[in-house]
Structures are given as structure tokens and as C-alpha cells.
Amino acid sequence: MIYWELFLAFFIPNIIGYGGGPAIIPLIEAEVVGRYGWMSAQGFAETLALGNALPSPIATKMAGYVGYEVAGIGGAFIAVAATVIPSLLLMLGALGLLYRHRNSPRVKRMSQWVRPVIAIMMAWLTLGFLLESINTSGAIHTLIIGIVAAIALIRFKTHPAFVVMGALIYGALFIT
């Protein structure tokens, strides 16, 4: 039963999610945290932060980690398969269809609406992470990490992996 739940938890977001890994992260969070309760929101945020610091697509890393935590190696395999196989099949079908109708005004309008929807979903996920961070770590620590991260990313063009590592080190040293 757990394998079926893992399959559904990653299959559904990957079937209905459009726009790649960042677009389906809120959908995966809804399944993993909200529906099945396999992780807390804080645990999911930490897993996402660590996953973003590593190379390769985020959705497969999240699936592998969550699947392994829930049901071992078999769970990791099922979750990764549920992430990759439907996306591959849908992509092949959709590319053929979109290529055939690439000059259609309807297809062009549909594509224009994808980015704003993804932006709203990512903003909602970010707000949830912010509120969770304030509740668990406190407003001062959240503000310090946020300001230092923004300065490092924008002003000094620091690679995000180093920013995540710095935030992890700060959390280990100053947040109990």
C-alpha cells in the first residue's frame, strides 16, 4: 500500500504539473506534507534547500529522498519512476501535438498563461516557507538569513549552493 501511495504522491503532481521541477514543487509539497504527512513543512523546506544545492533535476532528487525515507530503496525507485515516466510520455505526446499546431493563436495564448501561474504558485510556496521559518526559527534569524542571502546572491553573485550551505551552517551554529 505504501508503494502505491508513493507512486500516486509523485505521479499526480508530475501529470498535472506543467513547467518543470520548480512548477511542481508546491504540488509535491501538498502531497508529501499535506495529504500523507510523511514530512513536516520544515522538513520539506530543508529537503528542498539541500536538493537545490545538488546537481540534477529537483523533482527526481525530491522523489528519491522522500521515497527512500518512507519506504527504503524500493520506495525511492517507485517515487523516481513515478516522477520520470509520466513526464517522459506526456512530453513526447505534447511535443508532437504542439509542433503540429505551433502557429495556432490558442496554443500561443495558452503558453503565455503558464509563466504567471507558475510565478503565483512559487510565491505561495515561498510565503509558506517564510511563515514556517518565522514560526520555528524566529523572525530575527529568518531576517538575518534572508538579508545575508539576498546580498550574497544579488550583490556578490554568489552561487546558490554556497548560500544554502551558509544558511545551514548559520542554522547549526545559532538556531537550536
Side-chain angles (χ1 to χ4, degrees):
M1 189 66 170
I2 192 69
Y3 291 129
W4 178 245
E5 290 176 347
L6 271 170
F7 180 82
L8 289 178
F10 288 94
F11 180 81
I12 292 170
N14 281 283
I15 283 292
I16 63 174
Y18 179 81
I24 64 169
I25 294 300
L27 301 173
I28 292 173
E29 183 194 25
E31 295 290 318
V32 170
V33 175
R35 184 173 186 185
Y36 294 107
W38 292 324
M39 298 179 111
S40 67
Q42 180 67 26
F44 187 84
E46 291 169 0
T47 302
L48 179 62
L50 184 59
N52 274 325
L54 301 172
S56 78
I58 187 68
T60 54
K61 290 181 285 193
M62 295 293 291
Y65 180 79
V66 172
Y68 184 78
E69 286 292 312
V70 171
I73 293 173
F77 178 78
I78 295 292
V80 170
T83 300
V84 173
I85 292 170
S87 298
L88 177 64
L89 295 176
L90 282 173
M91 184 178 66
L92 292 174
L95 283 176
L97 187 64
L98 287 173
Y99 185 75
R100 197 171 317 139
H101 300 286
R102 66 185 174 274
N103 296 323
S104 166
R106 288 183 181 173
V107 171
K108 289 180 181 179
R109 277 195 309 271
M110 178 189 73
S111 297
Q112 289 175 343
W113 280 99
V114 171
R115 284 190 182 140
V117 169
I118 291 171
I120 290 169
M121 291 173 67
M122 292 302 292
W124 187 256
L125 181 66
T126 302
L127 178 63
F129 286 161
L130 175 67
L131 295 175
E132 182 69 24
S133 177
I134 289 170
N135 287 336
T136 58
S137 303
I140 299 297
H141 291 299
T142 301
L143 190 63
I144 290 170
I145 291 173
I147 290 172
V148 170
I151 292 170
L153 290 168
I154 296 168
R155 174 78 171 109
F156 297 107
K157 309 286 188 224
T158 306
H159 192 279
F162 294 121
V163 175
V164 170
M165 284 192 310
L168 290 172
I169 291 168
Y170 177 88
L173 293 175
F174 299 109
I175 302 173
T176 57

